[in-house]
Amino acid sequence: MSISNGSNSQILYSHDGCGAPISDSAVDHEHVDVLGVKVSAVNMVRAVELADQWVMGGRAGYICVTGVHGVMEAQKDPGLLEILNHAVINTPDGMPMTWVGQVQGVSNMDRVFGPDFMLKMCELSLDRGYRHFLYGGRPGVAEKLKEALEVRLPGLQVVGTYTPPFRTLNEQEEETLFAQLRDSKPHILWVGMSTPKQERFMAQYVDRLQVPLLVGVGAAFDYHTGRIRDCSNWIKRAGLQWLHRLLQDPRRLWRRYLSNNPAFIWNISLQMLKLRRYPRDVERSCPTTQSNAEGVFDASLCQPNCNRDSSS
């Protein structure tokens, strides 16, 4: 995991159980502050470069792909805020993240859409020889995605799939997953679940799966199997992809977009005008912060309904 040390560099903590800090300039990069969420100030080329360097390093870590929905969920969920801020990379999934970054002075920051990032990493894998594992989706979707990716990118190594239940894994299911991963030895595990479920899964299991990189890509499984129709590039650049999604699935998405989007505009305006601060430090803002057996902060133990002190 990575923790900002107050500059653009990071301190990385090994995932070998000893917790000893190690330095790795290969993944150093800038972040912008979006309501207390550290969003990586990257574009697609830089995001792929950083992910490639991380995989080659061999340690376990996870990437979050965060847009307005993830940022707003983190406002009411201190555990999710901590998870996002400890990602190796937290890519700007949406034009609002990019616009905020540009206002904060990062001119080369650009949108890194989860499905596009997935394809770029798969393309790179043809040269690198990286193996991929697909975790998530409704029954049959991961298998269809495997077929679609292998047709699109001949030679791509998709070495396994797993469709989890719509609940926490039990011990037997965990062991089945662990066994599959031990046998297939993937370099990248793609997690196709909803936010914040996929982020919590990655934070909980990153140290146990023995996979160098976990990436939460949300609806990418559905995009690449045709379950969700993509939109024109001009719609994406205008920041209106949410509307395209809403028109396809209004019954499920109307509440998310019609509550989160206005709230985001209001809160980011307060931040930009310096009328309100949005702390990144969950340990100060969450009175129910918990530690694990080793005394290290564990975001998964922080209560989702804990109230944050917005004035701190």
Side-chain angles (χ1 to χ4, degrees):
M1 291 185 179
S2 61
I3 302 178
S4 172
N5 63 3
S7 65
N8 291 339
S9 61
Q10 295 174 311
I11 296 175
L12 302 175
Y13 288 84
S14 64
H15 293 270
D16 57 4
C18 65
I22 53 177
S23 177
D24 190 342
S25 61
V27 294
D28 285 358
H29 62 282
E30 290 183 289
H31 295 83
V32 298
D33 183 350
V34 184
L35 306 186
V37 176
K38 289 170 51 183
V39 178
S40 297
V42 297
N43 52 33
M44 183 64 76
V45 172
R46 181 59 171 153
V48 170
E49 179 184 70
L50 290 170
D52 182 33
Q53 291 169 343
W54 184 268
V55 173
M56 288 192 292
R59 291 187 304 279
Y62 60 88
I63 292 176
C64 297
V65 179
T66 301
V68 168
H69 176 53
V71 169
M72 295 312 297
E73 287 295 311
Q75 302 311 298
K76 56 190 176 186
D77 184 341
L80 177 61
L81 177 66
E82 184 76 2
I83 289 168
L84 295 176
N85 287 347
H86 281 74
V88 173
I89 313 170
N90 188 20
T91 75
D93 181 32
M95 289 308 298
M97 304 298 106
T98 301
W99 294 331
V100 172
Q102 292 173 348
V103 168
Q104 294 185 22
V106 187
S107 60
N108 61 347
M109 182 176 175
D110 203 359
R111 182 174 188 266
V112 181
F113 184 42
D116 294 343
F117 178 70
M118 185 180 196
L119 281 183
K120 291 295 185 182
M121 287 301 298
C122 288
E123 290 171 2
L124 177 68
S125 298
L126 297 177
D127 292 329
R128 294 285 193 263
Y130 294 153
R131 295 180 296 275
H132 300 261
F133 193 100
L134 307 175
Y135 179 95
R138 294 180 179 275
V141 171
E143 290 77 11
K144 290 181 180 178
L145 177 57
K146 179 179 186 297
E147 295 173 4
L149 290 174
E150 290 173 342
V151 168
R152 183 166 184 165
L153 299 169
L156 183 70
Q157 300 181 66
V158 181
V159 294
T161 66
Y162 189 94
T163 301
F166 289 98
R167 53 167 172 75
T168 303
L169 297 179
N170 59 38
E171 290 186 9
Q172 182 177 356
E173 290 162 344
E174 285 184 340
E175 184 50 43
T176 298
L177 174 62
F178 296 163
Q180 281 189 252
L181 294 174
R182 284 195 300 269
D183 292 340
S184 59
K185 296 180 173 59
H187 296 92
I188 304 173
L189 187 147
W190 299 97
V191 184
M193 301 161 72
S194 60
T195 295
K197 189 174 182 181
Q198 66 185 9
E199 287 79 11
R200 290 192 176 280
F201 171 84
M202 293 191 296
Q204 179 180 355
Y205 286 99
V206 63
D207 295 320
R208 303 174 61 190
L209 298 181
Q210 300 180 6
V211 178
L213 186 61
L214 282 62
V215 189
V217 286
F221 284 33
D222 290 334
Y223 272 98
H224 292 315
T225 56
R227 292 171 59 86
I228 296 177
R229 298 188 305 276
D230 204 356
C231 61
S232 301
N233 190 58
W234 74 266
I235 296 177
K236 297 176 182 178
R237 302 304 301 178
L240 294 174
Q241 189 168 18
W242 67 270
L243 181 58
H244 189 266
R245 285 285 313 276
L246 177 61
L247 293 174
Q248 292 186 67
D249 193 0
R251 181 175 299 179
R252 187 174 68 87
L253 297 176
W254 74 267
R255 190 183 303 274
R256 173 197 297 186
Y257 291 130
L258 296 185
S259 62
N260 280 347
N261 290 7
F264 177 79
I265 293 172
W266 172 254
N267 282 276
I268 200 65
S269 298
L270 293 177
Q271 178 183 324
M272 294 294 187
L273 294 171
K274 299 183 179 180
L275 297 176
R276 184 174 178 181
R277 295 177 56 210
Y278 295 82
R280 296 178 181 179
D281 188 345
V282 174
E283 290 188 83
R284 285 184 300 148
S285 59
C286 176
T288 58
T289 294
Q290 301 289 328
S291 298
N292 62 20
E294 288 74 34
V296 178
F297 175 74
D298 185 346
S300 67
L301 299 177
C302 190
Q303 298 300 320
N305 60 350
C306 167
N307 294 320
R308 294 177 59 201
D309 182 0
S310 59
S311 63
S312 63

